[in-house]
Amino acid sequence: MADRSFSRAPSAIPVDDAVLPFEIASLDLRGRLVKLGPLLDVILAKHDYPLAVSKLLGEAIVLTALLGSALKFNGRFILQTQTDGPVSLIVVDFRVPGALRAYARYDRDRLRDGQKTGELLGRGHLAMTIDQGGAMSRYQGLVALNGGTLEDAAHEYFLRSEQIPTRVRLAIGEELDQGDPRPHWRAGGLLLQFLPKAPERARQADLHPGDAPAGTAIHTVAEDDAWTEGQALIETVEDVELIDPDLSGERLVYRLFHERGVRVFATQPLGAKCSCSRDAVASMLKSFAPNDRADMVEDGRVKVTCEFCSSTYEFTPEEAGVEQA
Ligand SMILES: [Zn+2]
């Protein structure tokens, strides 16, 4: 980080598929803004998902980009939901410095018009895994999903696991360009964290004890004024601003925080990239039990399709290590 600061007007040029980190030093706030455009079309076009599933997966991709882009080392951040709703599984994988891939599993017969995130997911859990690769340890945090949004789950995760006061906003929508019959996906997200030097300033009000018996005293904590102000500011962001293709990230961040002085850092580009390969699939096949390998032979070939990017890899039974009877 440069130790010489200077002021300039916010850039008016929108940058898609990128993360913009920023800091409001006077309030001890740090944050990241993500704007996604073409990357979403690339990932979602690889699958023939119904609209509601694409939308939900898109939100999960935004959340993963917001969280994964905090990683400094080489590694991966994996967000995964496992639930009993119509969308039973979501996996989004972020590889440093900015490669994203994602897929969802769903039951078409249980999809209905107008289902909200909570209804699509149902009950289960959200897991966030940080994998630093090699001999380094894996870290996994879990939060329950009980019919709420992905934003709710992220708040709960930061409250319980990291104890960092955090607010997240996510938005996604489809946009029709003039002269282009196909709609294009756009999404945006904003993450704000309160990181005071004195840890006691980071105390947070606990979640409301919804099922506590009547008359139970609710544990109240007065939150720090700086954090109260930060939360109020992030609440003023409108979904249309987060997905607006003509509004630059710098302008949006400036609009929100300029009165307190906001500093932006270099944007981190993001891209849709899968890490599958023929070699990796071949070695995965070799790790299977011989019977399972033999069961995969169809019309004299073994075919494996990558769930993330839908690439199909074909092997002869011999190449796949199938023992001939
Ligand atoms: Zn792939």
Side-chain angles (χ1 to χ4, degrees):
M1 214 173 289
D3 58 359
R4 219 155 40 98
S5 57
F6 57 91
S7 291
R8 63 167 169 82
S11 163
I13 302 162
V15 183
D16 275 339
D17 298 342
V19 184
L20 176 69
F22 60 89
E23 173 187 72
I24 304 108
S26 64
L27 294 175
D28 294 311
L29 299 173
R30 279 188 156 257
R32 289 189 291 283
L33 173 74
V34 166
K35 287 211 146 205
L36 301 181
L39 173 155
L40 281 179
D41 283 335
V42 172
I43 295 180
L44 297 174
K46 297 225 163 96
H47 309 278
D48 189 20
Y49 295 140
L51 204 65
V53 178
S54 289
K55 208 170 163 224
L56 179 57
L57 187 59
E59 274 189 23
I61 293 169
V62 179
L63 180 58
T64 304
L66 283 172
L67 301 176
S69 56
L71 297 188
K72 297 280 182 278
F73 43 80
N74 281 331
R76 288 165 71 197
F77 176 90
I78 303 137
L79 180 143
Q80 184 173 334
T81 64
Q82 261 184 303
T83 50
D84 64 5
V87 180
S88 57
L89 180 83
I90 287 176
V91 184
V92 190
D93 177 282
F94 177 98
R95 249 173 323 124
V96 173
L100 278 157
R101 58 179 189 162
Y103 73 91
R105 281 190 205 145
Y106 64 97
D107 180 349
R108 198 178 283 269
D109 295 339
R110 293 174 65 200
L111 292 173
R112 306 274 176 276
D113 282 344
Q115 278 169 327
K116 298 214 163 64
T117 300
E119 294 162 305
L120 290 168
L121 290 170
R123 287 167 192 275
H125 69 260
L126 171 79
M128 304 200 233
T129 308
I130 295 170
D131 186 348
Q132 302 182 53
M136 304 284 277
S137 62
R138 257 168 100 95
Y139 167 82
Q140 192 175 67
L142 278 182
V143 247
L145 285 169
N146 289 310
T149 63
L150 291 175
E151 292 172 358
D152 295 337
H155 295 153
E156 168 119 4
Y157 168 77
F158 279 103
L159 182 64
R160 301 255 177 253
S161 305
E162 309 253 324
Q163 285 156 11
I164 299 172
T166 302
R167 271 352 251 174
V168 171
R169 293 286 310 276
L170 306 173
I172 183 161
E174 275 189 308
E175 189 203 32
L176 261 178
D177 281 343
Q178 267 186 334
D180 188 344
R182 289 170 316 152
H184 292 282
W185 286 103
R186 294 209 53 88
L190 192 56
L191 172 137
L192 193 66
Q193 296 192 307
F194 181 45
L195 298 160
K197 283 185 190 75
E200 65 275 13
R201 288 184 61 207
R203 68 199 181 278
Q204 293 174 85
D206 206 350
L207 299 178
H208 191 280
D211 50 1
T216 305
I218 294 165
H219 177 63
T220 52
V221 172
E223 288 182 325
D224 192 277
D225 288 345
W227 180 229
T228 303
E229 185 175 338
Q231 291 179 85
L233 290 170
I234 193 173
E235 282 313 312
T236 69
V237 180
E238 291 183 44
D239 287 357
V240 290
E241 293 179 295
L242 288 170
I243 61 179
D244 186 346
D246 300 319
L247 177 63
S248 80
E250 288 199 5
R251 282 218 165 151
L252 177 53
V253 164
Y254 181 80
R255 177 184 82 63
L256 288 169
F257 304 112
H258 70 99
E259 281 179 20
R260 293 300 191 166
V262 56
R263 185 175 176 202
V264 296
F265 302 103
T267 53
Q268 299 165 230
L270 301 169
K273 231 172 270 160
C274 194
S275 53
C276 67
S277 68
R278 192 178 162 80
D279 284 353
V281 173
S283 61
M284 179 193 75
L285 284 171
K286 297 212 167 88
S287 75
F288 287 175
N291 281 347
D292 292 341
R293 271 200 299 265
D295 287 347
M296 292 177 77
V297 182
E298 253 177 67
D299 301 328
R301 310 288 282 177
V302 172
K303 266 193 201 174
V304 179
T305 302
C306 173
E307 283 193 282
F308 284 104
C309 69
S310 303
S311 298
T312 300
Y313 298 94
E314 264 195 57
F315 301 88
T316 64
E318 200 173 29
E319 286 168 335
V322 176
E323 280 117 56
Q324 306 291 334

